[in-house]
Amino acid sequence: MNMVQEGEERSRELETRSYEVSIDINELVESIKREIEILDPLSDECCIYRVPQQLREINEKAYTPRVVSIGPYHHGKNELKAMEEYKRRYLVDFLERSEIMFDIFITGIQEMEKRLRNSYAETIRHSRKDFVKMMAVDGAFLIEYLLKWYLRDWSSSDRIFNKQQLGHMLCFDLIMLENQLPFFFLEHLFKLTNASKFVEGLSIVKLVNIFLINMTEQNWLSSHYLVHGNIAVQHLVDFVAICFLQPSKPNAKRKCRSLTTPTISKLHRAGAKFKSSTSRCLLDIKFDKKRGVLEIPQFKVTDYTEIFSRNIQAFEQCHNRVNYANDYFSIMDLLVDVPEDVDLLVQSGIIENWLEDNQAGATFFNSMGKHNLIYDDFYFSGLVGDLNAYCRTPWHNWKASLKQKYFNNPWTMISVAAAGFLLLLTIIQIVCSILQVVW
């Protein structure tokens, strides 16, 4: 037997012995039991999540805070530590404003510890002491920041409000899904400040709403549904989602039979018209089949629109409550494909495009449509069906082609009218000639 054969034989022997080694069943069972026992129970109060990897890969920056950490997910990161001193200074201001004893303030947060931990999808490994300390500093900082912004009462030495770029970046860190505090906690801290006694009618909802209008630059963003409806808000990302995407009335359910729809430019060539809507809800997209008018709520697209849009979308996918953001950006992705589509929406007053050009606007909507799933209960199923039916009607295409080709400017209209008049005179002349011959 040569050396190669001996090596193969020895390898087979070792492999056989490895299968013959018995497993200590009791030890394995105990190991698994220990791992199961340390699992924390899942809570219905969970509302703050890590962004799914498939979304994060599209635009990492849209989900990652740049200057401040709020809550446990990004706490302690080196690149965010510079803000920790400012947060502690705001904690001092908060306590002075609230006129509350420090120990009473901390005791109140400690009593909420379990509920606060339950608000996060991941198990928070901070000790009780570190967790309560973090929530106290971050919560006081956020409320104090909002009040300083609303009341315009920051000092000349304030490092946040006196640095415009820092303040601008901080604003958008506050509406990232992984950088949230539960809204019930913010309500509790706001009440401690007694701000509503000094500013008539001020509430945490009004305070947050005015801040978000200024930050997102969507002037029609309204907290109407939060104030007058029975809707519980989970955190700031949920706040924006409700203001943008709460339907004015339930939509009739229709099964989605097509995943395609004509784009804005194709609809235009088929004779459809476009009109901006003053609706408070982005979902209120309507198509008048008789008049061929597509009505779409106004939407402002800036360099930062993608941040709050993506975080709303991520929250919706994680929380599994509704598919409103998914459906809105899916229908806009279907309607907008090329710069011409954006240009038509801009001309109609529907889109206010603050990006570099209309190509960037089209890219925004196409990007927001990535990884979206269209379900059987797609909110715009009826709209898709109506738009496809409209474009399949030959009369609409013929009428639109005639209008766009021959009546798109006054000179063309005059030429067509003159040609028609000459044709009419020619016909009259022929008829008169025939009548003379007959008589």
Side-chain angles (χ1 to χ4, degrees):
M1 181 181 296
N2 58 36
M3 293 183 66
V4 174
Q5 290 174 326
E6 286 181 2
E8 292 178 348
E9 185 67 27
R10 188 174 302 168
S11 177
R12 283 193 292 270
E13 288 179 9
L14 291 173
E15 187 176 347
T16 302
R17 288 176 186 175
S18 67
Y19 281 110
E20 291 175 351
V21 174
S22 62
I23 299 175
D24 189 332
I25 300 298
N26 292 332
E27 182 182 345
L28 179 59
V29 169
E30 290 302 317
S31 174
I32 296 175
K33 278 185 177 181
R34 286 193 296 270
E35 292 177 359
I36 292 174
E37 287 171 357
I38 64 173
L39 291 174
D40 292 325
L42 297 177
S43 171
D44 293 336
E45 296 177 312
C46 173
C47 62
I48 303 173
Y49 307 84
R50 291 279 190 183
V51 174
Q53 187 61 29
Q54 65 175 10
L55 294 181
R56 185 178 291 280
E57 288 173 353
I58 299 174
N59 187 350
E60 173 78 24
K61 293 181 179 179
Y63 309 108
T64 306
R66 290 177 289 177
V67 296
V68 66
S69 69
I70 301 292
Y73 286 160
H74 295 276
H75 183 74
K77 287 188 174 180
N78 288 330
E79 61 269 28
L80 304 176
K81 284 184 177 180
M83 187 60 67
E84 293 301 311
E85 178 185 337
Y86 300 153
K87 290 200 289 187
R88 289 191 291 270
R89 292 182 184 277
Y90 272 42
L91 170 61
V92 173
D93 293 343
F94 173 86
L95 293 171
E96 290 178 356
R97 186 190 299 274
S98 303
E99 298 180 345
I100 186 173
M101 299 295 292
F102 204 174
D103 58 342
I104 297 176
F105 171 64
I106 295 297
T107 300
I109 296 177
Q110 185 177 351
E111 291 172 353
M112 290 187 243
E113 181 190 356
K114 183 177 180 181
R115 188 179 177 191
L116 288 170
R117 286 181 180 269
N118 286 342
S119 298
Y120 294 90
E122 290 188 3
T123 300
I124 308 304
R125 298 302 180 189
H126 293 76
S127 67
R128 296 192 65 188
K129 175 183 174 182
D130 290 342
F131 180 77
V132 171
K133 176 183 175 182
M134 175 186 65
M135 298 303 281
V137 173
D138 289 0
F141 165 77
L142 182 52
I143 292 297
E144 186 63 20
Y145 172 80
L146 292 173
L147 285 172
K148 285 179 185 292
W149 176 86
Y150 180 82
L151 299 172
R152 298 292 192 268
D153 68 346
W154 58 84
S155 67
S156 58
S157 60
D158 190 289
R159 295 293 190 271
I160 295 177
F161 286 100
N162 292 321
K163 290 185 177 181
Q164 188 173 9
Q165 186 64 24
L166 175 63
H168 198 60
M169 290 190 293
L170 186 147
C171 285
F172 286 93
D173 283 356
L174 298 182
I175 53 167
M176 292 182 177
L177 179 58
E178 296 179 352
N179 227 22
Q180 294 301 303
L181 297 177
F183 203 75
F184 75 83
F185 183 50
L186 299 183
E187 286 182 302
H188 166 76
L189 297 177
F190 176 79
K191 290 176 182 177
L192 293 180
T193 66
N194 294 314
S196 58
K197 292 183 179 180
F198 302 102
V199 183
E200 186 178 354
L202 185 62
S203 65
I204 184 64
V205 169
K206 182 177 179 180
L207 179 65
V208 170
N209 187 224
I210 295 174
F211 170 74
L212 291 174
I213 287 175
N214 181 75
M215 185 194 66
T216 61
E217 299 179 327
Q218 305 287 345
N219 293 328
W220 50 268
L221 187 149
S222 170
S223 61
H224 173 81
Y225 299 109
L226 296 173
V227 176
H228 300 289
N230 296 318
I231 301 175
V233 60
Q234 305 291 339
H235 40 65
L236 297 193
V237 176
D238 190 32
F239 195 110
V240 182
I242 293 170
C243 291
F244 273 124
L245 298 164
Q246 186 64 30
S248 56
K249 59 181 179 180
N251 201 24
K253 296 289 184 181
R254 283 173 59 176
K255 187 174 182 179
C256 186
R257 301 184 180 280
S258 175
L259 293 179
T260 60
T261 191
T263 62
I264 293 295
S265 51
K266 288 181 180 178
L267 286 166
H268 175 66
R269 288 192 287 272
K273 301 179 181 66
F274 310 104
K275 179 182 177 182
S276 65
S277 167
T278 57
S279 172
R280 293 171 173 172
C281 177
L282 292 178
L283 295 176
D284 289 343
I285 303 176
K286 302 173 184 177
F287 183 62
D288 188 327
K289 293 181 284 187
K290 292 183 179 180
R291 297 189 300 130
V293 176
L294 180 62
E295 195 169 340
I296 304 176
Q298 296 173 332
F299 190 65
K300 188 173 185 177
V301 184
T302 70
D303 288 333
Y304 292 97
T305 302
E306 187 170 356
I307 294 178
F308 72 80
S309 298
R310 286 201 175 282
N311 281 275
I312 291 173
Q313 193 178 57
F315 171 60
E316 189 177 271
Q317 290 192 15
C318 294
H319 204 55
N320 197 29
R321 182 181 61 185
V322 292
N323 294 315
Y324 293 154
N326 176 88
D327 291 357
Y328 172 76
F329 287 112
S330 292
I331 191 65
M332 292 304 293
D333 181 29
L334 291 172
L335 290 172
V336 175
D337 186 42
V338 294
E340 182 186 354
D341 300 320
V342 177
D343 185 50
L344 288 167
L345 293 177
V346 169
Q347 291 178 32
S348 304
I350 294 169
I351 296 297
E352 188 176 340
N353 186 17
W354 284 68
L355 301 180
E356 53 188 288
D357 53 31
N358 288 333
Q359 176 61 63
T363 300
F364 164 75
F365 286 109
N366 297 155
S367 175
M368 289 302 302
K370 285 184 179 179
H371 298 308
N372 285 358
L373 297 177
I374 295 181
Y375 302 94
D376 285 343
D377 61 347
F378 181 50
Y379 191 85
F380 298 104
S381 295
L383 176 68
V384 168
D386 292 342
L387 294 178
N388 282 321
Y390 181 86
C391 281
R392 283 196 298 265
T393 305
W395 162 250
H396 293 143
N397 289 280
W398 180 83
K399 182 175 68 172
S401 178
L402 181 66
K403 181 179 179 180
Q404 293 165 14
K405 187 173 183 179
Y406 297 106
F407 298 99
N408 60 345
N409 65 67
W411 295 111
T412 306
M413 292 174 63
I414 292 171
S415 299
V416 172
F421 182 69
L422 290 174
L423 178 62
L424 179 62
L425 290 178
T426 302
I427 293 173
I428 292 173
Q429 185 178 16
I430 292 173
V431 171
C432 289
S433 299
I434 293 173
L435 291 176
Q436 286 178 355
V437 171
V438 172
W439 292 101

